[in-house]
Amino acid sequence: NLNFEPYALKTDTGIRCMQIAGADFDYTKVGFFRYIKKSKTNNWVGPYDDAYLKLKLLTYAVPIYEFPGDTVAVYGIDINCDTLGTKLNKNNIYPSSFDFLLSEQGELIAGPTDPKMKRKVDNAIRIINDSTILKHGIKDGCIHITYYHDDVEDQDLTLFVAQMRDAPHWRIAVVCYDDEVYAPLKKLHYRLLLISLFAFGILLFIIWIFARNEGKLKQKTLQEQRMA
């Protein structure tokens, strides 16, 4: 039966099972099904907007064979891109930093779900995909570091991008604000400055003591010479 597509969806109340395929939907005509059937290999598909669930999804698809080797079905595991983005940004390095995931082609897979973050994410993606912007590569070029300035917020930021060596060659990016990155260093610099000033003050006091004692010693020596 070509129109048989059972689907299990995890919700807040449990697992919901449903039948998606029907008279109005034939999954065998969907692009990713034909691709997996033809390639006969496991593969990631997406991100794409699912018309039935009304969600942006990422799918890991696995072909199912029947002797002598024809693909008769495709088994898929769907990931909600918004859920993935929330997981990515659950424990950020710094309070204002954010993470996002890109495809090999530079398309956003998952990132911050807050609409207020869209401009920041779009700006970071533009910088990643702009080949004219200088990027400092480390670890055989798999990790790139880019420094840039946000004109809207008038802040300096650092962008870290790491790319998977193997397929699907996704890239994960982390954006950090320099004020937060270098805050501990600035605090250390301030403490060292205070310590230096304090040490310099002590040195001046010691020099003043020596100078005062030397003056008294000279006066006493002159008095003794006069008396002699």
Side-chain angles (χ1 to χ4, degrees):
N1 184 0
L2 295 180
N3 288 327
F4 180 70
E5 186 180 359
Y7 195 89
L9 176 66
K10 183 179 180 182
T11 65
D12 295 336
T13 57
I15 304 296
R16 178 188 171 196
C17 297
M18 63 191 83
Q19 173 60 244
I20 294 180
D24 300 327
F25 179 69
D26 185 355
Y27 66 87
T28 62
K29 293 182 172 61
V30 178
F32 90 85
F33 179 86
R34 292 187 305 219
Y35 173 76
I36 297 297
K37 182 177 180 179
K38 182 179 179 180
S39 65
K40 296 184 178 181
T41 57
N42 302 356
N43 215 326
W44 286 96
V45 181
Y48 61 93
D49 294 319
D50 188 275
Y52 185 85
L53 297 174
K54 309 297 182 184
L55 295 172
K56 184 179 181 181
L57 299 178
L58 187 67
T59 300
Y60 186 72
V62 180
I64 299 176
Y65 306 106
E66 184 181 55
F67 185 82
D70 293 332
T71 304
V72 295
V74 173
Y75 172 76
I77 300 175
D78 292 339
I79 301 174
N80 186 337
C81 291
D82 284 347
T83 301
L84 181 58
T86 301
K87 293 290 184 181
L88 280 174
N89 289 276
K90 187 176 182 179
N91 297 304
N92 290 324
I93 302 175
Y94 300 99
S96 299
S97 64
F98 56 93
D99 308 348
F100 56 92
L101 187 66
L102 296 178
S103 67
E104 185 179 9
Q105 293 73 30
E107 180 184 3
L108 179 65
I109 296 175
T113 55
D114 186 351
K116 296 178 181 178
M117 296 294 295
K118 185 179 185 307
R119 184 197 63 81
K120 299 178 182 179
V121 174
D122 289 345
N123 191 32
I125 293 175
R126 178 188 61 79
I127 290 171
I128 292 174
N129 294 330
D130 190 342
S131 59
T132 64
I133 296 178
L134 178 63
K135 301 174 178 64
H136 305 276
I138 58 177
K139 288 192 176 182
D140 300 327
C142 289
I143 300 177
H144 292 90
I145 301 175
T146 307
Y147 308 99
Y148 67 100
H149 184 78
D150 189 322
D151 294 331
V152 175
E153 296 187 349
D154 192 26
Q155 287 186 305
D156 294 321
L157 299 94
T158 303
L159 172 62
F160 302 88
V161 181
Q163 184 166 14
M164 297 172 58
R165 292 181 180 272
D166 302 321
H169 304 293
W170 290 340
R171 289 176 286 178
I172 186 167
V174 180
V175 178
C176 301
Y177 287 81
D178 287 5
D179 287 347
E180 293 178 337
V181 173
Y182 298 110
L185 186 61
K186 290 181 179 179
K187 186 180 293 186
L188 177 62
H189 181 267
Y190 178 72
R191 290 176 178 175
L192 289 175
L193 178 62
L194 289 179
I195 293 173
S196 299
L197 290 174
F198 181 70
F200 185 66
I202 293 176
L203 179 61
L204 289 177
F205 179 74
I206 292 174
I207 291 174
W208 177 76
I209 293 293
F210 271 100
R212 187 186 64 176
N213 290 339
E214 183 181 9
K216 290 182 178 179
L217 181 62
K218 286 182 178 180
Q219 289 180 358
K220 187 174 182 180
T221 301
L222 288 174
Q223 289 177 358
E224 291 179 350
Q225 287 177 352
R226 289 173 183 173
M227 292 178 62

mmCIF file of all heavy atoms in Angstrom, residues 31-45 60-65 69-74:
data_model
loop_
_atom_site.group_PDB
_atom_site.id
_atom_site.type_symbol
_atom_site.label_atom_id
_atom_site.label_comp_id
_atom_site.label_asym_id
_atom_site.label_seq_id
_atom_site.Cartn_x
_atom_site.Cartn_y
_atom_site.Cartn_z
ATOM 1 N N GLY A 31 10.008 14.594 -2.527
ATOM 2 C CA GLY A 31 11.395 14.615 -2.988
ATOM 3 C C GLY A 31 12.349 13.771 -2.165
ATOM 4 O O GLY A 31 13.165 13.019 -2.709
ATOM 5 N N PHE A 32 12.268 13.892 -0.832
ATOM 6 C CA PHE A 32 13.245 13.179 0.000
ATOM 7 C C PHE A 32 13.052 11.666 -0.104
ATOM 8 O O PHE A 32 14.011 10.908 -0.052
ATOM 9 C CB PHE A 32 13.182 13.661 1.453
ATOM 10 C CG PHE A 32 12.228 12.919 2.337
ATOM 11 C CD1 PHE A 32 12.619 11.747 2.964
ATOM 12 C CD2 PHE A 32 10.940 13.382 2.550
ATOM 13 C CE1 PHE A 32 11.744 11.063 3.793
ATOM 14 C CE2 PHE A 32 10.075 12.709 3.366
ATOM 15 C CZ PHE A 32 10.469 11.544 3.985
ATOM 16 N N PHE A 33 11.789 11.198 -0.274
ATOM 17 C CA PHE A 33 11.549 9.757 -0.416
ATOM 18 C C PHE A 33 12.199 9.239 -1.693
ATOM 19 O O PHE A 33 12.872 8.196 -1.696
ATOM 20 C CB PHE A 33 10.055 9.453 -0.431
ATOM 21 C CG PHE A 33 9.738 7.995 -0.609
ATOM 22 C CD1 PHE A 33 9.690 7.144 0.478
ATOM 23 C CD2 PHE A 33 9.507 7.472 -1.881
ATOM 24 C CE1 PHE A 33 9.405 5.794 0.312
ATOM 25 C CE2 PHE A 33 9.226 6.131 -2.054
ATOM 26 C CZ PHE A 33 9.179 5.292 -0.958
ATOM 27 N N ARG A 34 12.022 9.958 -2.793
ATOM 28 C CA ARG A 34 12.610 9.534 -4.064
ATOM 29 C C ARG A 34 14.131 9.563 -3.994
ATOM 30 O O ARG A 34 14.813 8.707 -4.563
ATOM 31 C CB ARG A 34 12.099 10.440 -5.190
ATOM 32 C CG ARG A 34 10.614 10.271 -5.475
ATOM 33 C CD ARG A 34 10.206 11.051 -6.695
ATOM 34 N NE ARG A 34 10.558 12.465 -6.584
ATOM 35 C CZ ARG A 34 9.782 13.443 -7.015
ATOM 36 N NH1 ARG A 34 8.615 13.169 -7.571
ATOM 37 N NH2 ARG A 34 10.152 14.687 -6.900
ATOM 38 N N TYR A 35 14.680 10.568 -3.271
ATOM 39 C CA TYR A 35 16.141 10.670 -3.149
ATOM 40 C C TYR A 35 16.706 9.486 -2.369
ATOM 41 O O TYR A 35 17.698 8.859 -2.791
ATOM 42 C CB TYR A 35 16.504 11.988 -2.464
ATOM 43 C CG TYR A 35 17.966 12.114 -2.137
ATOM 44 C CD1 TYR A 35 18.891 12.400 -3.119
ATOM 45 C CD2 TYR A 35 18.419 11.933 -0.824
ATOM 46 C CE1 TYR A 35 20.244 12.504 -2.820
ATOM 47 C CE2 TYR A 35 19.757 12.044 -0.518
ATOM 48 C CZ TYR A 35 20.664 12.321 -1.521
ATOM 49 O OH TYR A 35 21.992 12.422 -1.208
ATOM 50 N N ILE A 36 16.100 9.166 -1.230
ATOM 51 C CA ILE A 36 16.575 8.060 -0.412
ATOM 52 C C ILE A 36 16.400 6.724 -1.145
ATOM 53 O O ILE A 36 17.265 5.840 -1.107
ATOM 54 C CB ILE A 36 15.848 8.014 0.946
ATOM 55 C CG1 ILE A 36 16.152 9.286 1.738
ATOM 56 C CG2 ILE A 36 16.243 6.790 1.751
ATOM 57 C CD1 ILE A 36 17.596 9.488 2.098
ATOM 58 N N LYS A 37 15.285 6.579 -1.838
ATOM 59 C CA LYS A 37 15.026 5.339 -2.584
ATOM 60 C C LYS A 37 16.069 5.127 -3.683
ATOM 61 O O LYS A 37 16.541 4.006 -3.902
ATOM 62 C CB LYS A 37 13.635 5.378 -3.193
ATOM 63 C CG LYS A 37 13.261 4.093 -3.942
ATOM 64 C CD LYS A 37 11.844 4.154 -4.479
ATOM 65 C CE LYS A 37 11.500 2.849 -5.214
ATOM 66 N NZ LYS A 37 10.124 2.860 -5.737
ATOM 67 N N LYS A 38 16.435 6.225 -4.338
ATOM 68 C CA LYS A 38 17.406 6.120 -5.420
ATOM 69 C C LYS A 38 18.825 5.913 -4.901
ATOM 70 O O LYS A 38 19.587 5.098 -5.428
ATOM 71 C CB LYS A 38 17.351 7.382 -6.281
ATOM 72 C CG LYS A 38 18.296 7.360 -7.470
ATOM 73 C CD LYS A 38 18.151 8.636 -8.286
ATOM 74 C CE LYS A 38 19.127 8.620 -9.473
ATOM 75 N NZ LYS A 38 19.001 9.864 -10.282
ATOM 76 N N SER A 39 19.202 6.654 -3.839
ATOM 77 C CA SER A 39 20.573 6.569 -3.311
ATOM 78 C C SER A 39 20.814 5.297 -2.511
ATOM 79 O O SER A 39 21.937 4.814 -2.430
ATOM 80 C CB SER A 39 20.873 7.781 -2.435
ATOM 81 O OG SER A 39 20.048 7.786 -1.273
ATOM 82 N N LYS A 40 19.727 4.756 -1.899
ATOM 83 C CA LYS A 40 19.808 3.548 -1.074
ATOM 84 C C LYS A 40 20.804 3.702 0.067
ATOM 85 O O LYS A 40 21.496 2.764 0.457
ATOM 86 C CB LYS A 40 20.186 2.331 -1.930
ATOM 87 C CG LYS A 40 19.139 1.968 -2.979
ATOM 88 C CD LYS A 40 19.524 0.706 -3.737
ATOM 89 C CE LYS A 40 18.450 0.337 -4.747
ATOM 90 N NZ LYS A 40 18.769 -0.893 -5.486
ATOM 91 N N THR A 41 20.919 4.906 0.581
ATOM 92 C CA THR A 41 21.828 5.166 1.699
ATOM 93 C C THR A 41 21.120 6.002 2.752
ATOM 94 O O THR A 41 20.210 6.782 2.442
ATOM 95 C CB THR A 41 23.081 5.933 1.234
ATOM 96 O OG1 THR A 41 22.682 7.155 0.598
ATOM 97 C CG2 THR A 41 23.896 5.107 0.251
ATOM 98 N N ASN A 42 21.562 5.843 3.993
ATOM 99 C CA ASN A 42 21.049 6.686 5.071
ATOM 100 C C ASN A 42 21.485 8.127 4.816
ATOM 101 O O ASN A 42 22.622 8.369 4.377
ATOM 102 C CB ASN A 42 21.597 6.235 6.419
ATOM 103 C CG ASN A 42 21.262 4.785 6.715
ATOM 104 O OD1 ASN A 42 20.563 4.126 5.949
ATOM 105 N ND2 ASN A 42 21.761 4.286 7.828
ATOM 106 N N ASN A 43 20.611 9.065 5.109
ATOM 107 C CA ASN A 43 20.982 10.450 4.841
ATOM 108 C C ASN A 43 20.114 11.405 5.636
ATOM 109 O O ASN A 43 19.008 11.069 6.049
ATOM 110 C CB ASN A 43 20.846 10.772 3.348
ATOM 111 C CG ASN A 43 21.918 11.735 2.883
ATOM 112 O OD1 ASN A 43 22.335 12.615 3.628
ATOM 113 N ND2 ASN A 43 22.378 11.542 1.654
ATOM 114 N N TRP A 44 20.674 12.618 5.859
ATOM 115 C CA TRP A 44 19.912 13.706 6.473
ATOM 116 C C TRP A 44 19.165 14.459 5.393
ATOM 117 O O TRP A 44 19.692 14.701 4.309
ATOM 118 C CB TRP A 44 20.842 14.652 7.213
ATOM 119 C CG TRP A 44 21.366 14.096 8.500
ATOM 120 C CD1 TRP A 44 22.565 13.473 8.694
ATOM 121 C CD2 TRP A 44 20.711 14.131 9.764
ATOM 122 N NE1 TRP A 44 22.698 13.114 10.006
ATOM 123 C CE2 TRP A 44 21.576 13.500 10.695
ATOM 124 C CE3 TRP A 44 19.481 14.621 10.212
ATOM 125 C CZ2 TRP A 44 21.250 13.357 12.034
ATOM 126 C CZ3 TRP A 44 19.163 14.480 11.543
ATOM 127 C CH2 TRP A 44 20.036 13.855 12.443
ATOM 128 N N VAL A 45 17.949 14.845 5.673
ATOM 129 C CA VAL A 45 17.127 15.590 4.733
ATOM 130 C C VAL A 45 16.620 16.856 5.423
ATOM 131 O O VAL A 45 16.129 16.812 6.543
ATOM 132 C CB VAL A 45 15.922 14.755 4.256
ATOM 133 C CG1 VAL A 45 15.092 15.550 3.253
ATOM 134 C CG2 VAL A 45 16.381 13.442 3.649
ATOM 135 N N TYR A 60 16.286 12.348 9.564
ATOM 136 C CA TYR A 60 17.303 11.340 9.255
ATOM 137 C C TYR A 60 16.565 10.139 8.669
ATOM 138 O O TYR A 60 15.770 9.489 9.357
ATOM 139 C CB TYR A 60 18.085 10.924 10.498
ATOM 140 C CG TYR A 60 19.235 9.987 10.170
ATOM 141 C CD1 TYR A 60 20.364 10.474 9.517
ATOM 142 C CD2 TYR A 60 19.181 8.627 10.495
ATOM 143 C CE1 TYR A 60 21.423 9.646 9.197
ATOM 144 C CE2 TYR A 60 20.237 7.792 10.180
ATOM 145 C CZ TYR A 60 21.353 8.305 9.535
ATOM 146 O OH TYR A 60 22.399 7.474 9.214
ATOM 147 N N ALA A 61 16.783 9.888 7.378
ATOM 148 C CA ALA A 61 16.016 8.875 6.653
ATOM 149 C C ALA A 61 16.858 7.638 6.369
ATOM 150 O O ALA A 61 18.038 7.741 6.008
ATOM 151 C CB ALA A 61 15.492 9.460 5.347
ATOM 152 N N VAL A 62 16.221 6.471 6.522
ATOM 153 C CA VAL A 62 16.885 5.177 6.310
ATOM 154 C C VAL A 62 16.047 4.351 5.340
ATOM 155 O O VAL A 62 14.852 4.139 5.572
ATOM 156 C CB VAL A 62 17.035 4.411 7.638
ATOM 157 C CG1 VAL A 62 17.726 3.063 7.406
ATOM 158 C CG2 VAL A 62 17.802 5.247 8.657
ATOM 159 N N PRO A 63 16.641 3.866 4.226
ATOM 160 C CA PRO A 63 15.875 3.033 3.291
ATOM 161 C C PRO A 63 15.657 1.622 3.855
ATOM 162 O O PRO A 63 16.507 1.085 4.543
ATOM 163 C CB PRO A 63 16.760 2.998 2.042
ATOM 164 C CG PRO A 63 18.150 3.205 2.564
ATOM 165 C CD PRO A 63 18.017 4.111 3.756
ATOM 166 N N ILE A 64 14.497 1.058 3.552
ATOM 167 C CA ILE A 64 14.180 -0.319 3.948
ATOM 168 C C ILE A 64 14.099 -1.157 2.676
ATOM 169 O O ILE A 64 13.369 -0.812 1.734
ATOM 170 C CB ILE A 64 12.850 -0.376 4.721
ATOM 171 C CG1 ILE A 64 12.971 0.471 6.001
ATOM 172 C CG2 ILE A 64 12.478 -1.819 5.065
ATOM 173 C CD1 ILE A 64 11.687 0.562 6.792
ATOM 174 N N TYR A 65 14.882 -2.261 2.646
ATOM 175 C CA TYR A 65 15.009 -3.070 1.440
ATOM 176 C C TYR A 65 14.142 -4.316 1.497
ATOM 177 O O TYR A 65 13.806 -4.833 2.553
ATOM 178 C CB TYR A 65 16.471 -3.502 1.237
ATOM 179 C CG TYR A 65 17.461 -2.359 1.233
ATOM 180 C CD1 TYR A 65 18.299 -2.144 2.327
ATOM 181 C CD2 TYR A 65 17.556 -1.493 0.152
ATOM 182 C CE1 TYR A 65 19.210 -1.099 2.332
ATOM 183 C CE2 TYR A 65 18.455 -0.453 0.142
ATOM 184 C CZ TYR A 65 19.281 -0.259 1.232
ATOM 185 O OH TYR A 65 20.182 0.772 1.231
ATOM 186 N N GLY A 69 16.846 -6.392 -3.140
ATOM 187 C CA GLY A 69 17.558 -5.161 -2.826
ATOM 188 C C GLY A 69 16.829 -3.894 -3.192
ATOM 189 O O GLY A 69 17.382 -2.801 -3.094
ATOM 190 N N ASP A 70 15.600 -3.986 -3.637
ATOM 191 C CA ASP A 70 14.841 -2.783 -3.980
ATOM 192 C C ASP A 70 14.359 -2.083 -2.709
ATOM 193 O O ASP A 70 13.985 -2.728 -1.725
ATOM 194 C CB ASP A 70 13.630 -3.142 -4.848
ATOM 195 C CG ASP A 70 14.051 -3.648 -6.226
ATOM 196 O OD1 ASP A 70 15.131 -3.235 -6.677
ATOM 197 O OD2 ASP A 70 13.313 -4.464 -6.797
ATOM 198 N N THR A 71 14.354 -0.749 -2.735
ATOM 199 C CA THR A 71 13.851 0.038 -1.607
ATOM 200 C C THR A 71 12.322 0.028 -1.645
ATOM 201 O O THR A 71 11.718 0.494 -2.615
ATOM 202 C CB THR A 71 14.359 1.486 -1.678
ATOM 203 O OG1 THR A 71 15.789 1.485 -1.724
ATOM 204 C CG2 THR A 71 13.898 2.279 -0.466
ATOM 205 N N VAL A 72 11.723 -0.503 -0.603
ATOM 206 C CA VAL A 72 10.261 -0.588 -0.563
ATOM 207 C C VAL A 72 9.644 0.441 0.375
ATOM 208 O O VAL A 72 8.443 0.706 0.311
ATOM 209 C CB VAL A 72 9.812 -2.006 -0.138
ATOM 210 C CG1 VAL A 72 10.231 -3.023 -1.176
ATOM 211 C CG2 VAL A 72 10.379 -2.365 1.235
ATOM 212 N N ALA A 73 10.462 1.004 1.252
ATOM 213 C CA ALA A 73 9.952 1.996 2.202
ATOM 214 C C ALA A 73 11.120 2.810 2.749
ATOM 215 O O ALA A 73 12.295 2.469 2.540
ATOM 216 C CB ALA A 73 9.195 1.314 3.348
ATOM 217 N N VAL A 74 10.787 3.888 3.421
ATOM 218 C CA VAL A 74 11.788 4.733 4.065
ATOM 219 C C VAL A 74 11.366 4.978 5.493
ATOM 220 O O VAL A 74 10.223 5.371 5.755
ATOM 221 C CB VAL A 74 11.957 6.071 3.321
ATOM 222 C CG1 VAL A 74 12.870 7.010 4.115
ATOM 223 C CG2 VAL A 74 12.522 5.852 1.924
#
